[in-house]
Amino acid sequence: MQILIPLDGSSVAESALVHGRALVQAFGGACVLLRVVATDPVQPGAVTSLLDWQLRRRQAERYLSEACSRFDATGHEVVTVVEEGRVVEEILRYA
């Protein structure tokens, strides 16, 4: 079993880490921490250039690495994934 936790950097999204940890501890399996780098120009904060894309991708990877280190104390497998595209569609596609 895998528990998917999409993260956007907000404290509200990060509050799901506590619940995800509890689910993984109770039922086993792995946890997937997902961050989507928005590439749709209509979405606020979307990537607008190649340099911007590279910067945001690295920031997303670093953020997930930090979140993983906080979550990893449970001793269960934690996987980090960075996707690109329209945020909602990418979360649904990954799920």
Side-chain angles (χ1 to χ4, degrees):
M1 175 171 71
Q2 288 188 332
I3 305 296
L4 175 62
I5 303 176
L7 297 169
D8 63 4
S10 70
S11 59
V12 172
E14 286 192 13
S15 67
L17 291 171
V18 174
H19 303 290
R21 182 183 305 124
L23 288 170
V24 167
Q25 287 176 331
F27 301 107
C31 184
V32 178
L33 305 181
L34 173 67
R35 178 84 183 241
V36 178
V37 177
T39 58
D40 182 358
V42 177
Q43 290 182 292
V47 171
T48 55
S49 70
L50 179 58
L51 180 60
D52 187 35
W53 172 81
Q54 290 173 333
L55 177 64
R56 289 180 189 235
R57 176 126 188 136
R58 286 193 181 131
Q59 287 172 337
E61 290 168 351
R62 190 175 315 116
Y63 169 73
L64 288 179
S65 177
E66 292 168 4
C68 182
S69 68
R70 291 191 307 270
F71 191 93
D72 200 38
T74 63
H76 294 278
E77 181 183 11
V78 181
V79 178
T80 61
V81 177
V82 176
E83 295 289 345
E84 306 159 11
R86 301 177 91 166
V87 176
V88 174
E89 291 171 3
E90 289 303 314
I91 292 170
L92 292 173
R93 185 183 65 74
Y94 192 86

